[in-house]
Amino acid sequence: MSGKYNIVTYGVAFAIILALNFLLPRMMPGDPLMAIYGDEALIAMTPELKASLVERFALDQSLWQQFGAYISSLFQGDLGYSYYYNAPVIDVIMGSLPWTLLIIGTSLVLSTLLGILLGIESGWRRGSRTDRAMLAGLMSLNGFPDFFLGLLLLIIFGVLLGVCPLSGAMTPYSGLSGMALVLDVLKHMALPVAALTLAHLSGGYLLTRNTMISVLKAPFMLTARAKGLSQRALKYRHAGRNSMLPVITMTGIWLGRLVTGALFVELVFAYPGVGYLTYQALLARDYPLIQGVFLMVTFSVLIANFSVDMLYPRLDPRVSYAY
């Protein structure tokens, strides 16, 4: 029952996103082609190309027929054509997407694991000096946005200490290969990943800590203590394992924030991901590319949230009985 409900919910959300992506350019005043491609593109556009685009987008037909042509193009993998990069939008996005996935995936894993571990230790030692120090430090980090932490890291480790590159995803024209190339990529992604991880670490930490404190008061913990289990088993196998479940639930929601933060962090480090690509598209007013990025990012966040919703009942079967 819950699975069918989730599928319908996410299906409706995706349909609304598709409708918005289709309607927004067409709701703007003036020529729809001007809204889709911008004034600059229409100036350099030949009459033959303009006629071809009108036929391609079905702009001489009804709105429903235009929407049908739009959906048909999407199912064929056609997100439009980027006039700035002179290439299909899907090809341009796929060229930048792996870099964004690399830093987002790495920072999501690191921030989640570190948040859970620190939260377990802090909740286990509630009221101690270690707990107060971690709580104060991570709450302080929570007040800084992603890009500000990125700027601080860039100034400290890139400019002052000179231990990390200032921009890019790899050293240009270096001719590196094999392990040397891997190390070069890791060196370039270290600061962007650190900025994203630090900015999103406190959420997992606070949620795990608070859950840990509640779990330690549960009756099954008293039973486990009475059995004479070791401190390690009590902390991780019983209390820690039950404290992880809310964090996994929130991972899908945090992913949306992480994607948004990555867009700004990529600008700070001139990292060639989807965020930096979006910035270039905005400067060039490349509307088809902007629409394509918006659609792919929102679709990715929906898929991530849906995956978490499907995974959670397997981790905690009690959730299934709520529906």
Side-chain angles (χ1 to χ4, degrees), residues 151-222:
L151 286 172
L152 287 179
L153 293 174
L154 184 66
I155 293 172
I156 296 172
F157 295 98
V159 178
L160 298 178
L161 300 178
V163 295
C164 290
L166 297 178
S167 62
M170 61 176 66
T171 304
Y173 311 112
S174 61
L176 298 174
S177 61
M179 186 54 65
L181 178 60
V182 172
L183 292 175
D184 186 58
V185 171
L186 291 175
K187 191 175 181 180
H188 280 80
M189 65 179 281
L191 292 184
V193 167
L196 290 173
T197 301
L198 291 174
H200 295 86
L201 179 61
S202 57
Y205 161 77
L206 289 173
L207 186 56
T208 305
R209 178 184 180 274
N210 293 338
T211 308
M212 185 77 173
I213 293 172
S214 300
V215 167
L216 289 175
K217 301 175 183 177
F220 74 88
M221 287 300 299
L222 296 176

Side-chain angles (χ1 to χ4, degrees), residues 104 107-108 111 146 196 200 254-263:
I104 286 179
S107 59
L108 181 65
S111 60
D146 316 72
L196 290 173
H200 295 86
W254 291 336
L255 184 60
R257 292 179 55 196
L258 196 62
V259 170
T260 306
L263 300 184

Side-chain angles (χ1 to χ4, degrees), residues 20-127:
L20 288 174
N21 207 41
F22 167 77
L23 287 173
L24 286 178
R26 289 162 177 81
M27 291 174 63
M28 296 174 67
D31 189 350
L33 275 179
M34 186 180 298
I36 296 172
Y37 280 91
D39 300 338
E40 294 83 353
L42 288 184
I43 292 174
M45 190 177 292
T46 62
E48 292 79 10
L49 179 58
K50 185 174 182 179
S52 174
L53 290 173
V54 169
E55 181 181 358
R56 178 181 179 182
F57 291 109
L59 295 176
D60 55 345
Q61 300 178 22
S62 67
L63 193 64
W64 283 109
Q65 290 173 314
Q66 293 180 37
F67 187 66
Y70 171 71
I71 296 297
S72 176
S73 298
L74 287 182
F75 278 106
Q76 296 173 15
D78 183 9
L79 296 180
Y81 195 84
S82 170
Y83 62 82
Y84 179 73
Y85 288 95
N86 195 27
V89 168
I90 186 67
D91 293 342
V92 177
I93 294 176
M94 293 307 294
S96 300
L97 188 60
W99 295 114
T100 298
L101 292 178
L102 180 63
I103 62 171
I104 286 179
T106 305
S107 59
L108 181 65
V109 171
L110 288 176
S111 60
T112 302
L113 290 180
L114 288 174
I116 290 174
L117 290 175
L118 294 177
I120 290 174
E121 294 295 333
S122 186
W124 183 262
R125 296 176 170 83
R126 182 189 181 186

